[in-house]
Amino acid sequence: LAKTTQPISMDSYEGQEVNITCSHNNIATNDYITWYQQFPSQGPRFIIQGYKTKVTNEVASLFIPADRKSSTLSLPRVSLSDTAVYYCLVGDIGGVTGGGNKLTFGTGTQLKVEL
Amino acid sequence: NAGVTQTPKFRILKIGQSMTLQCAQDMNHNYMYWYRQDPGMGLKLIYYSVGAGITDKGEVPNGYNVSRSTTEDFPLRLELAAPSQTSVYFCASSYASLQEETQYFGPGTRLLVL
């Protein structure tokens, strides 16, 4: 399983764009990159997933360079409610290998958004 | 849909006691997972299942057992509770395709072993 490294914490202010970078130097060919968000006393919640280049949905964008050794989660115009822990995960999707997505969660990035 | 449900929400066990953490999903997902999360740490995979009747070990399986007799249910069994098993336990499920996989997590079960 590819190991990921991301900053322990980040601070931001409401209305700013936040970029959280994750490194995954030993990512495998079948691995996808997935980001989850976790609020205190809740289970993680899926944010976005991608394999290469750029992926955008209604809450975030995910930028993946050609070598796929890193990825950046971009949160546009954050608000106080975006204060949470963000996890970057790398693993093959169960549908590709049929073996289940055995995700490895690191300690994540604690994002704190202030007024 | 209720999504992923877990019971109980909180439990206190004495050392050596046993219990079963219940997990159910109503999304017809083929994959189900059990994680534990210690304070200030990320989640660690205990066991997972790719379908009814099929289970496999994750990163930290010692002290736990699972079964998957139906698509909907994936109970986690602790046979001899130890203080090291004090943690928050999350169950998750997913339906993987060739394009994407999203894991849906339950609200968690907080376990205290004294």
Side-chain angles (χ1 to χ4, degrees):
Chain A
L1 297 172
K3 182 179 178 180
T4 60
T5 302
Q6 51 184 123
I8 293 175
S9 64
M10 294 182 69
D11 294 327
S12 184
Y13 294 96
E14 275 202 319
Q16 289 190 331
E17 177 184 78
V18 171
N19 296 307
I20 306 175
T21 297
C22 177
S23 69
H24 26 79
N25 291 321
N26 58 339
I27 188 170
T29 302
N30 287 339
D31 286 346
Y32 279 67
I33 300 157
T34 310
W35 286 80
Y36 283 81
Q37 175 193 57
Q38 186 178 28
F39 297 112
S41 301
Q42 294 186 25
R45 184 173 70 111
F46 174 89
I47 300 175
I48 197 166
Q49 184 175 76
Y51 183 81
K52 61 181 179 181
T53 61
K54 177 184 176 182
V55 180
T56 298
N57 61 24
E58 62 276 9
V59 297
S61 294
L62 179 59
F63 299 92
I64 306 169
D67 65 5
R68 304 198 328 122
K69 293 184 182 300
S70 67
S71 59
T72 299
L73 173 73
S74 181
L75 304 172
R77 298 179 299 282
V78 295
S79 64
L80 293 175
S81 62
D82 292 316
T83 294
V85 177
Y86 292 82
Y87 295 99
C88 165
L89 298 100
V90 173
D92 60 11
I93 291 180
V96 174
T97 65
N101 193 346
K102 298 177 283 295
L103 298 179
T104 297
F105 285 76
T107 52
T109 298
Q110 173 67 63
L111 173 64
K112 182 179 180 181
V113 180
E114 299 175 287
L115 289 172
Chain B
N1 286 348
V4 179
T5 58
Q6 293 183 237
T7 57
K9 291 184 180 179
F10 176 68
R11 180 78 180 267
I12 298 175
L13 281 182
K14 294 182 179 179
I15 295 173
Q17 286 186 321
S18 62
M19 77 165 294
T20 299
L21 282 66
Q22 302 292 343
C23 174
Q25 53 92 8
D26 60 359
M27 297 173 281
N28 200 32
H29 286 168
N30 46 349
Y31 298 144
M32 295 189 74
Y33 308 83
W34 273 106
Y35 296 88
R36 61 175 286 174
Q37 185 174 34
D38 298 330
M41 305 297 289
L43 284 73
K44 293 185 178 181
L45 182 64
I46 305 173
Y47 270 96
Y48 69 99
S49 168
V50 299
I54 306 171
T55 63
D56 206 349
K57 296 177 181 178
E59 183 183 359
V60 288
N62 292 342
Y64 308 94
N65 279 300
V66 294
S67 61
R68 183 99 181 268
S69 57
T70 66
T71 299
E72 295 78 20
D73 301 299
F74 191 39
L76 177 71
R77 179 80 176 167
L78 282 71
E79 290 295 348
L80 293 171
S84 61
Q85 294 177 305
T86 292
S87 189
V88 179
Y89 292 84
F90 290 102
C91 177
S93 72
S94 68
Y95 182 81
S97 69
L98 292 178
Q99 286 75 42
E100 69 165 46
E101 180 190 356
T102 300
Q103 291 197 13
Y104 294 85
F105 285 80
T109 293
R110 188 174 299 274
L111 177 65
L112 180 60
V113 181
L114 299 174

